Amino acid sequence: MYLGHETREPAVEAGERSTTPVTISDVARAAGVAPSTVSRAFSRPGRVSVKTSERIFHAARELGYRQDEVPRVSTSRTHHLVAACVADAMNPVFGATVKGIFAGARKRGYMVVLIDSNESSDIESETTKRSLATVDGFIFAGSRMSDAGLRHLAGMKPVITVNRKVPGVSSVTPAADEGLGDALAHLVADERFTVTYFAGPTASWQSGVRWRSLLDRARRNGRVTVHQLACPTPTIRGGIEVFDMWKAHPTSAVIAYNDLIAIGFMRRAMACGVKVPGDVAVIGFDDIPFSALVSPALSTIRVNQFQMGVVAVNRLLDTVERPSRHEHQAPSEDVVPVSFVARESG
């Protein structure tokens, strides 16, 4: 980076070299921009428009500021590569999202590198740092990084999150509240007034959103009571393990953070003689392909994860290709509709 080492050739004045240092502020005044824009142009050229960058670098060369290292902007893209980071590559939900990202990127002439964080914020952070120099932007599906970490990364490269909102970062999320409202109304119509929510990972923004939505819906309904249980993992194994916690305080219905948990719970419940949906109605979330194939077929909230991937990559590439248009705009927040699918389980 050029900042912090302001070595420069002296500016020419009255036929002689001046000993007055040329600063970023001098360059900013000459180019008609803010000093922060000059800083960004030197350290992160992709985040400043080509026209503005050319003006800044021309002024820097004229003034003698780091003339030997002032870059010349090229309008050609150097990478044509974006990174898709998923929390768990084995989870079918992320597979559908990634397919959408690949499809959308391919149409625009980009390739995609896949990062599997294995539900670890440390792995996610380390692999993204290593990828900074080789990709044009990042798409995070189910990110476990902190809000601060994602905002910091978004200051260096275009970033968009899927299934999570972070202040200052663009996002694509499902309209979870609508789907959960329909699911709860379906349970109430079947006279099921006690519901347990099987929560997802502690770091999952979506899990928190869904729990708060259920609480709010239950309060407004007045007849429904909702409880929450932390599921060990967002997998079939996690669903099997959470059954033993649920049976200590059984309810007439359960809504799981995802379909995998719901399927695992059903397997364990039926193995223990609990009838689904006779004793307990079970509802999942996502509508992965397996949901319609298990017995009983799983009722679930359908999210078009493929569409979310397409929307995410198109938003990201809009920013990559036209940074000046998006530089002073608020981050985009796209919300994809969902629908409740009633099947045999509840």
Side-chain angles (χ1 to χ4, degrees), residues 224-289:
V224 179
T225 301
V226 293
H227 308 276
Q228 180 176 216
L229 281 177
C231 193
T233 60
T235 62
I236 290 176
R237 170 57 60 184
I240 292 172
E241 293 175 1
V242 82
F243 171 81
D244 292 326
M245 291 183 275
W246 171 85
K247 73 178 182 180
H249 301 283
T251 51
S252 60
V254 301
I255 297 178
Y257 164 75
N258 65 15
D259 289 344
L260 295 178
I261 294 172
I263 291 169
F265 174 84
M266 283 201 308
R267 283 182 56 187
R268 177 65 173 164
M270 291 187 294
C272 293
V274 176
K275 297 180 178 63
V276 179
D279 297 324
V280 58
V282 180
I283 295 175
F285 203 108
D286 292 324
D287 195 27
I288 61 176

Side-chain angles (χ1 to χ4, degrees), residues 118-295:
N118 198 33
E119 297 283 356
S120 167
S121 60
D122 291 337
I123 294 175
E124 194 172 342
S125 178
E126 180 62 27
T127 51
T128 51
K129 285 178 184 177
R130 293 188 180 189
S131 306
L132 268 172
T134 56
V135 301
D136 295 311
F138 295 88
I139 301 172
F140 290 92
S143 175
R144 305 305 180 224
M145 284 175 63
S146 67
D147 285 6
L150 288 167
R151 282 195 295 269
H152 178 72
L153 183 63
M156 295 182 281
K157 285 287 176 79
V159 169
I160 190 162
T161 57
V162 178
N163 284 319
R164 177 178 173 182
K165 287 183 181 179
V166 175
V169 180
S170 294
S171 63
V172 182
T173 57
D177 182 64
E178 297 176 9
L180 289 167
D182 291 342
L184 208 58
H186 174 79
L187 292 174
V188 170
D190 198 29
E191 299 188 344
R192 298 178 187 270
F193 302 114
T194 55
V195 180
T196 300
Y197 172 63
F198 296 149
T202 304
S204 169
W205 181 85
Q206 267 294 321
S207 185
V209 165
R210 294 171 193 176
W211 169 238
R212 290 189 294 273
S213 175
L214 283 172
L215 276 176
D216 182 60
R217 294 274 181 173
R219 290 192 188 107
R220 281 187 278 164
N221 179 276
R223 294 187 294 168
V224 179
T225 301
V226 293
H227 308 276
Q228 180 176 216
L229 281 177
C231 193
T233 60
T235 62
I236 290 176
R237 170 57 60 184
I240 292 172
E241 293 175 1
V242 82
F243 171 81
D244 292 326
M245 291 183 275
W246 171 85
K247 73 178 182 180
H249 301 283
T251 51
S252 60
V254 301
I255 297 178
Y257 164 75
N258 65 15
D259 289 344
L260 295 178
I261 294 172
I263 291 169
F265 174 84
M266 283 201 308
R267 283 182 56 187
R268 177 65 173 164
M270 291 187 294
C272 293
V274 176
K275 297 180 178 63
V276 179
D279 297 324
V280 58
V282 180
I283 295 175
F285 203 108
D286 292 324
D287 195 27
I288 61 176
F290 305 138
S291 299
L293 303 178
V294 296
S295 182

